[in-house]
Amino acid sequence: MLEIGIPAALLVLLSVGFALWTRARVAAQVAAAAHDLAAGLGHDAELASSLDPDDVTARVLDAAAALPGADAALLILDGRAAAIGLSDQEVERAAHETPPNTNLRSMEVVYRYRLDEVEGSNLPRAALVVPLRTAQGAIGSLSAVTRAKPPAFPPEAADMLEALAQRAGPALRNAQRFVEATELAELDSLTGLANRRVFHELLQREVARSRRYGRRLALIVLDLDDFKRINDRLGHLAGDAVLADVAARIRGCVRSTDIGCRVGGDEFAVILPESTRGDADHLAARIERAVSSEPIAKAGTLKISAGVAELSPDDTSTDLFERADEDLYRTKAAAKQRGRGHAG
């Protein structure tokens, strides 16, 4: 048997070299895996197709749940939780047991249960947690959750989850800002109701939907009585305050399914999906009472007139709006006629 002697110093050198090579290889694998998992979540050019917060959230959760050792994932953003692979009860418990993690790179949380809960169960056992950060600071956390017994994540999982979180934080915040900017562009800045452009787009959409599914649709058009006199007497700033107050009273009357809008000037509208003319008449009366029941700032007690229409089989969105508008002007003309009669 031939024995070859290898100096101890050479053995040490070979061992160190092999360790460094292995570490570099693992690091490269981690980087490649993290890139694949987080593809499209970190660069402005890639975010063009990922500006829906729900879509970005789903992609981040899918990537986290695909990490080695993970069976599920939990994302907490601005205090709100979203998850994949967890029941609603598990999400609630895991979110409650996820500690703030703004200074650490990562942490592992082990879940403890009562004995009667653990028997024969497949409950989440542990979570690897990393913070979600933007340039402005921490905005939440991302967790990879395991149901394994005993719970264990491979060493590279923390690096991969951290790499994912580094891309996910800015992507999620960008998506939120995009939605906020879109909403601002769709809202009337004075009243907070949908603006004129959005009103006509939504009315067209609801008409098409009503036709497709054979559902009812009604529309209310509202107009403040003698609003020009308020502007002339009190000025436009006071007039703006009146419009904002009236809009708040309209919002207080409509259902969650109704769509309140400012069509222009002192004219408002409410779209009522799946509603009849009778439903619209009832809501219009509620709005009229809400506006006239209490004085509005310096303007005093005001009245608002309403016109109502229900979608007919051959109506376009323009037809429906014009019929409601015509009904409004008939209502206003009748009110003026009654006023002249009383004066006489």
Side-chain angles (χ1 to χ4, degrees):
M1 182 174 179
L2 180 65
E3 295 183 0
I4 299 177
I6 301 178
L10 181 58
L11 283 173
V12 171
L13 183 61
L14 289 172
S15 298
V16 171
F18 180 77
L20 290 174
W21 175 81
T22 301
R23 183 175 178 180
R25 183 183 177 190
V26 170
Q29 290 174 341
V30 167
H35 180 272
D36 291 340
L37 289 170
L41 293 178
H43 303 288
D44 292 340
E46 295 167 338
L47 284 173
S49 61
S50 303
L51 289 176
D52 176 359
D54 291 339
D55 176 58
V56 178
T57 297
R59 292 172 62 189
V60 172
L61 288 170
D62 285 342
L67 288 168
D71 300 300
L74 173 70
L75 187 153
I76 301 175
L77 179 65
D78 296 330
R80 295 185 297 274
I84 183 173
L86 298 173
S87 68
D88 291 343
Q89 185 177 3
E90 289 171 344
V91 170
E92 185 177 356
R93 171 177 271 177
H96 177 71
E97 295 179 359
T98 300
N101 180 26
T102 58
N103 296 320
L104 300 176
R105 284 183 55 186
S106 65
M107 67 168 62
E108 190 166 338
V109 178
V110 178
Y111 302 130
R112 303 294 184 189
Y113 301 95
R114 299 191 308 268
L115 287 177
D116 60 331
E117 290 183 292
V118 175
E119 291 295 332
S121 69
N122 188 33
L123 293 168
R125 300 291 171 164
L128 189 62
V129 187
V130 298
L132 288 170
R133 291 193 179 97
T134 66
Q136 289 71 43
I139 58 173
S141 64
L142 178 63
S143 304
V145 180
T146 181
R147 299 180 187 274
K149 295 177 286 187
F153 288 98
E156 66 270 18
D159 290 334
M160 296 171 73
L161 187 62
E162 185 182 12
L164 174 63
Q166 286 175 351
R167 295 187 175 202
L172 287 161
R173 184 58 88 211
N174 285 344
Q176 285 182 325
R177 287 174 177 166
F178 176 79
V179 170
E180 290 167 0
T182 301
E183 289 176 348
L184 286 175
E186 294 178 347
L187 296 180
D188 174 64
S189 59
L190 177 62
T191 64
L193 299 174
N195 61 31
R196 181 185 183 89
R197 174 184 62 80
V198 174
F199 163 70
H200 287 291
E201 290 176 358
L202 293 177
L203 184 60
Q204 189 173 22
R205 184 194 72 185
E206 291 301 327
V207 167
R209 182 176 295 172
S210 296
R211 284 236 183 85
R212 185 179 306 118
Y213 299 108
R215 295 173 181 171
R216 312 290 281 271
L217 177 67
L219 176 67
I220 305 171
V221 177
L222 304 125
D223 186 89
L224 275 173
D225 297 347
D226 297 321
F227 181 68
K228 183 177 184 301
R229 190 177 301 174
I230 295 172
N231 272 338
D232 292 343
R233 180 166 57 91
L234 300 176
H236 288 282
L237 287 178
D240 287 349
V242 167
L243 293 174
D245 196 322
V246 169
R249 298 187 188 198
I250 291 173
R251 280 198 301 271
C253 294
V254 301
R255 305 165 302 180
S256 59
T257 54
D258 300 330
I259 306 168
C261 310
R262 183 187 180 195
V263 181
D266 60 322
E267 190 171 20
F268 300 89
V270 181
I271 303 171
L272 293 82
E274 300 188 32
S275 301
T276 65
R277 164 106 194 204
D279 297 326
D281 283 329
H282 180 70
L283 178 56
R286 284 185 59 199
I287 293 173
E288 289 170 348
R289 288 194 299 271
V291 171
S292 62
S293 61
E294 295 182 12
I296 297 179
K298 297 178 181 179
T301 301
L302 300 178
K303 291 185 178 181
I304 193 167
S305 297
V308 175
E310 183 178 346
L311 185 68
S312 296
D314 297 327
D315 275 346
T316 65
S317 60
T318 301
D319 294 333
L320 179 61
F321 176 70
E322 288 179 349
R323 287 198 296 106
D325 211 34
E326 289 167 3
D327 190 58
L328 168 65
Y329 282 101
R330 282 195 298 269
T331 300
K332 292 177 79 73
K336 287 181 180 178
Q337 188 64 36
R338 286 195 299 270
R340 293 193 192 99
H342 291 313

